[in-house]
Amino acid sequence: MSGSPKAIRGRHSRTGPRPIEAVAGATTMAVAAVLIAIGVFAFAVALARGDAGVAWQAYLVNLLFFLGIAQGGVVASASFYLTQAKWGGSTPYRLCEAFAPFLAVGVVLFVGLYFGRTLIFPWVLHPIPQKSAWLNVPFLFARDGIALAIMAIASYAFIRMSRSDQARAWSVAVSDIELPPHSVRVLAPLLGVLYVFIYSLLAFDLIMSLAPVWRSTLFGWFFFAGCFLSAVTAMALVAAILRGRLGERNLFTNETIMHDLGKLVFAFSVFWVYLLFAQYIVIWYGDLPVETFFIVQRVHHMPWRPLSIACLVLIWLIPFIVLMSVRAKKNPLVLGIVSSLLLIGIWLERYVLIVPSLSLDAIPFGLVQLLISLGFLGAFLLCSVPGLNLVAQAATSGEPVGDDEEGAGEE
């Protein structure tokens, strides 16, 4: 990451933080609570009127979307420690970790998926003898539930270390402390390895098993890379929003910080399309029916083709074109709009990956699914409020930031 410490410090205010209530206070919590109530009500109405299938589909789509942001954020924090990133002081670390409380909620919501198992997993009512040792209800919920719980515990342990005085002192020290605390250096790579294995497992069990004949060894990579991209993009969107809400003098008014966040969004958007193409080219070249049907259903058949194209446009094409220039990355309005569109694209990608396996000939999306999605958004916002308060405190603390890169070029 680029950045001159003197330049950053010169533009960064040392005034105290604004009242936290102006950032993520009672109003935000009230809105989140209302959204949760709306989502629960819509879910109950859908079950009562016989639309349980579409309700559980929306449940799974949103669970994987918001869980991916929360977990991807913690892994982003671990990756910052592994790369010894000091380009924003402690603020980027608090920004990464702001969504983590949703991890515990995600574990509970995953357990709730058990009640919709017959409507979600086709192999429950129509077992596949060759795969019954792996695809059976007790084993799937046990392994995925334990894996998610382990991931959440490891993430919370890492966040606790990341918020210690030693870790914060390292993140704001320009050159006095060379390495992060030992405990962080031990747990950060372990967290990354767990993330790769567990989120690949979730991709195979909760998405690939919906079309149990299909197989793709790259699908796990594609899924957890998408989760990481959604987390980085959510960070950029939050930074663009807080830039205005925290007043004129805060870390996010620094163009260098916005530029660095924009580069992360740009880079991982390109990485996402690389993995998409790598998976597609192998399936296209192999031309095996058990692999190609999954792609053909989504890319060549209506009504899913427009949605698949929209995913590519929102997640890769728009970010690639718009964020190619330095000026666009530094502009919070542009970065905020691109980040919003990209997050919509990631949500749509989850929808296109999951729903055609259960409803091939129609797009089951209406008011009920929208309200359920808003309910998940409310739960995610409510969980993120404490973390956003810490982001606000760090962004307005006036602490020194940046590596010792005097005179480093911007790009």
Side-chain angles (χ1 to χ4, degrees), residues 76-106:
S77 178
S79 67
F80 286 174
Y81 279 109
L82 290 174
T83 55
Q84 300 186 33
K86 294 185 178 182
W87 47 274
S90 65
T91 304
Y93 295 92
R94 302 295 85 81
L95 190 55
C96 292
E97 300 155 2
F99 318 118
F102 187 80
L103 294 176
V105 177

Side-chain angles (χ1 to χ4, degrees), residues 36-327:
I36 293 172
I38 291 174
V40 172
F41 178 75
F43 190 80
V45 168
L47 295 182
R49 73 179 190 183
D51 289 337
V54 296
W56 283 110
Q57 290 168 21
Y59 186 100
L60 180 58
V61 170
N62 286 286
L63 173 62
L64 292 178
F65 175 71
F66 288 106
L67 194 59
I69 297 177
Q71 189 59 68
V74 181
V75 175
S77 178
S79 67
F80 286 174
Y81 279 109
L82 290 174
T83 55
Q84 300 186 33
K86 294 185 178 182
W87 47 274
S90 65
T91 304
Y93 295 92
R94 302 295 85 81
L95 190 55
C96 292
E97 300 155 2
F99 318 118
F102 187 80
L103 294 176
V105 177
V107 175
V108 175
L109 291 174
F110 169 76
V111 175
L113 197 62
Y114 178 84
F115 298 101
R117 62 192 184 285
T118 58
L119 298 168
I120 290 294
F121 303 111
W123 44 264
V124 174
L125 298 179
H126 307 284
I128 302 174
Q130 299 87 344
K131 299 184 178 181
S132 60
W134 182 262
L135 292 181
N136 64 77
V137 171
F139 189 30
L140 182 139
F141 278 90
R143 65 175 179 262
D144 289 358
I146 292 172
L148 281 172
I150 291 174
M151 196 77 223
I153 292 171
S155 298
Y156 292 140
F158 176 80
I159 291 172
R160 184 175 182 180
M161 295 176 188
S162 174
R163 293 176 180 174
S164 66
D165 292 339
Q166 294 87 349
R168 182 182 173 280
W170 170 83
S171 66
V172 300
V174 175
S175 59
D176 296 339
I177 308 174
E178 293 185 355
L179 296 174
H182 177 73
S183 57
V184 172
R185 283 185 280 134
V186 170
L187 189 54
L190 177 61
L191 194 70
V193 173
L194 283 175
Y195 174 67
V196 167
F197 278 102
I198 291 176
Y199 274 68
S200 294
L201 177 67
L202 293 181
F204 296 147
D205 282 351
L206 302 184
I207 300 178
M208 188 183 288
S209 78
L210 304 183
V213 179
W214 185 58
R215 61 172 182 264
S216 170
T217 52
L218 274 174
F219 188 67
W221 287 76
F222 179 72
F223 178 71
F224 69 70
C227 293
F228 193 88
L229 170 61
S230 64
V232 170
T233 307
M235 290 165 53
L237 178 60
V238 168
I241 294 173
L242 290 184
R243 182 183 187 276
R245 297 202 64 177
L246 292 174
E248 296 182 356
R249 296 178 177 179
N250 64 82
L251 182 70
F252 299 122
T253 61
N254 188 312
E255 290 184 341
T256 303
I257 300 300
M258 301 306 292
H259 184 208
D260 289 339
L261 289 170
K263 284 190 287 187
L264 285 173
V265 173
F266 180 88
F268 285 99
S269 169
V270 173
F271 185 58
W272 176 88
V273 81
Y274 163 76
L275 290 176
L276 177 69
F277 182 73
Q279 187 171 219
Y280 176 80
I281 196 67
V282 171
I283 293 175
W284 174 82
Y285 191 78
D287 198 21
L288 300 175
V290 294
E291 295 179 351
T292 55
F293 82 93
F294 189 87
I295 304 295
V296 169
Q297 289 175 349
R298 288 157 176 78
V299 176
H300 297 290
H301 285 180
M302 297 295 286
W304 296 103
R305 184 176 184 181
L307 295 186
S308 299
I309 295 173
C311 291
L312 188 66
V313 172
L314 292 171
I315 301 175
W316 171 68
L317 187 60
I318 292 177
F320 184 79
I321 295 174
V322 176
L323 295 182
M324 192 174 290
S325 72
V326 174
R327 181 173 297 179

